[in-house]
Amino acid sequence: MTADFDAKRQQAHGYEVIFTADATSRRFALDELAAAGVGARLIGWLAPEVGRAALTTSWDALVEHFRKQPPIFCRHIFPVHTVVPLQGEEADLDALAVAAGQLGSRVRPDEPFSVQTRILGEGWPYGPFDVNNRLAQVLVDAGGRLDVRQPVWALSVVLTREAAYLGFSRTADNLSDWAGGARRFRREEEQISRAEFKLLEALEVFNLKLPEAGLVLDLGAAPGGWTRLMIRQGLRVVAVDPADLHPALEQEPGVEHVRKLAQDYLPGLKRSFDIILNDMRIDAGESALLMRQAIDVLRPGGWGLMTLKLPKHTLIETMTDALESLRVEYDVLGVRQLFHNRSEVTVALRPHKP
Ligand SMILES: C[S@@+](CC[C@H](N)C(=O)[O-])C[C@H]1O[C@@H](n2cnc3c(N)ncnc32)[C@H](O)[C@@H]1O
């Protein structure tokens, strides 16, 4: 956004952002905004997981801060450039098209855009696709190039009963390429557990690359969703869990099911692994300690991915302690409460360079 454009915006509405977080962690997302040094103040919640906040400094200042210190709980954010009053009627689309037209001077033919609409509440006479299509056409007419798969820019639109909030920003600055950070995957017929979505999202968010072949240690593997995804990628898996794996995996030649607790399997282990996954439902501090112990069996160049299960009342303290423990052995590549995480965060790890 140009300084000139930002200045005009500020005169009109002040700086505003719309942000999302898991509804149960939204206060932590707000804390992240408050700690960003941009004078963030909550205006209100548009939905349990969608907040509207005012800033005293520009969007760019917030982007800069989040680039240096990526948030854990704030899932998606965009600057509000236009607010359009709504009637809940078809004619809203015309009003939105006019507003999009005013943002049209922002589009660049060499950097594709997409329109990402979220409609809050029920009973609307139009849906997100109608809004997306109508506004995308306006921006295409203004010289923009639409690419819904890999957009560089997003026209973000959130509709509430009273008003629509529109903002045009780089997807990289929005913290997620997906509307509201809601990364959805198509359900596959062979899917074993919902946890699979969590792993797919984590690989994408942390930009983790899977080797073409190799051995994975999956701690807390049952019923086996993560194991299945690794097998599908051509990797072999040692799946550690006292519980049963899905029958499809018990017959899978690439899977070795070790019916043990990780605490009993790891001591004295002589094998080595390319990747260590850990989705064990145990105390976060203990899980971190086991992950530290497992570093001895991680091959050079390998990485780890784990979830930290966090109790509601001591969430931040528990997470902070577990991360501090992990940092003794690992570089923490990223920590996020993903769209598919509930009372947990996902952590990507790489051993310190020797
Ligand atoms: C959330 S489930 C894992 C789901 C799995 N990632 C998937 O994709 O299907 C947690 C698992 O951790 C296992 N678990 C809990 N404590 C464990 C321990 N100490 N060692 C090994 N597994 C453990 C439980 O038996 C349970 O199957």
Side-chain angles (χ1 to χ4, degrees):
M1 215 46 52
T2 64
D4 175 48
F5 184 76
D6 254 8
K8 280 196 203 138
R9 252 290 311 156
Q10 192 179 24
Q11 278 164 12
H13 304 285
Y15 294 110
E16 275 182 24
V17 291
I18 303 286
F19 65 98
T20 63
D22 187 83
T24 59
S25 314
R26 65 187 195 180
R27 65 185 185 285
F28 306 125
L30 205 52
D31 289 345
E32 289 171 338
L33 279 172
V38 292
R41 177 180 58 80
L42 182 70
I43 299 172
W45 297 105
L46 305 180
E49 75 291 0
V50 185
R52 180 181 168 205
L55 314 180
T56 53
T57 63
S58 70
W59 165 248
D60 290 343
L62 179 59
V63 167
E64 190 53 29
H65 172 84
F66 277 166
R67 194 170 292 139
K68 287 191 206 131
Q69 254 172 272
I72 297 171
F73 298 99
C74 190
R75 196 170 269 165
H76 182 270
I77 191 160
F78 73 87
V80 177
H81 291 128
T82 309
V83 181
V84 180
L86 296 181
Q87 310 300 325
E89 296 167 3
E90 286 276 348
D92 291 345
L93 294 178
D94 299 329
L96 290 168
V98 171
Q102 284 158 3
L103 293 171
S105 58
R106 306 281 113 203
V107 295
R108 302 169 184 201
D110 53 328
E111 292 184 327
F113 75 92
S114 74
V115 183
Q116 301 186 342
T117 300
R118 300 187 80 205
I119 301 188
L120 306 180
E122 308 278 316
W124 292 77
Y126 45 81
F129 288 114
D130 302 311
V131 179
N132 285 346
N133 290 342
R134 180 73 186 272
L135 302 195
Q137 190 56 53
V138 171
L139 296 187
V140 167
D141 292 346
R145 183 157 63 83
L146 179 66
D147 183 346
V148 294
R149 298 210 151 267
Q150 284 190 308
V152 177
W153 294 87
L155 172 59
S156 302
V157 186
V158 168
L159 278 74
T160 69
R161 285 275 156 235
E162 294 74 37
Y165 301 86
L166 283 76
F168 196 72
S169 49
R170 288 184 178 276
T171 51
D173 296 343
N174 292 1
L175 305 174
S176 165
D177 293 348
W178 302 87
R183 176 59 168 117
R184 296 182 199 280
F185 296 92
R186 194 168 309 135
R187 218 194 128 83
E188 294 178 6
E189 229 169 81
E190 307 76 28
Q191 183 176 328
I192 288 175
S193 63
R194 287 191 56 77
E196 291 188 19
F197 293 141
K198 196 161 67 178
L199 178 59
L200 292 173
E201 188 184 1
L203 293 173
E204 196 174 274
V205 164
F206 300 124
N207 195 21
L208 295 170
K209 300 280 174 266
L210 296 171
E212 287 187 358
L215 190 60
V216 178
L217 177 61
D218 187 358
L219 301 173
W226 288 20
T227 291
R228 181 186 86 85
L229 290 174
M230 293 295 108
I231 292 292
R232 197 185 62 173
Q233 291 300 314
L235 300 165
R236 290 168 299 117
V237 181
V238 175
V240 181
D241 201 309
D244 287 344
L245 291 182
H246 188 278
L249 291 176
E250 296 290 7
Q251 291 145 30
E252 174 62 58
V255 178
E256 183 186 330
H257 183 190
V258 178
R259 285 183 184 274
K260 284 186 177 177
L261 294 173
Q263 292 88 327
D264 297 330
Y265 180 64
L266 289 173
L269 184 60
K270 291 285 177 288
R271 306 171 79 168
S272 57
F273 299 86
D274 299 276
I275 295 170
I276 300 175
L277 304 177
N278 169 357
D279 193 23
M280 287 187 286
R281 199 178 299 115
I282 56 170
D283 169 79
E286 183 166 16
S287 197
L289 281 176
L290 288 165
M291 208 61 186
R292 287 173 57 183
Q293 196 176 343
I295 202 168
D296 292 339
V297 295
L298 189 57
R299 286 189 187 131
W303 48 263
L305 186 77
M306 73 182 298
T307 51
L308 292 173
K309 316 291 175 190
L310 301 171
K312 223 193 301 177
H313 297 295
T314 58
L315 188 147
I316 295 292
E317 297 84 339
T318 305
M319 179 185 76
T320 307
D321 289 351
L323 289 174
E324 196 182 323
S325 168
L326 287 165
R327 284 196 171 100
V328 174
E329 305 283 355
Y330 291 99
D331 290 342
V332 174
L333 304 176
V335 189
R336 297 264 351 225
Q337 186 165 51
L338 302 170
F339 178 62
H340 293 285
N341 285 141
R342 291 292 163 259
S343 308
E344 60 183 14
V345 292
T346 303
V347 187
L349 301 162
R350 193 174 46 205
H352 296 316
K353 288 248 154 55

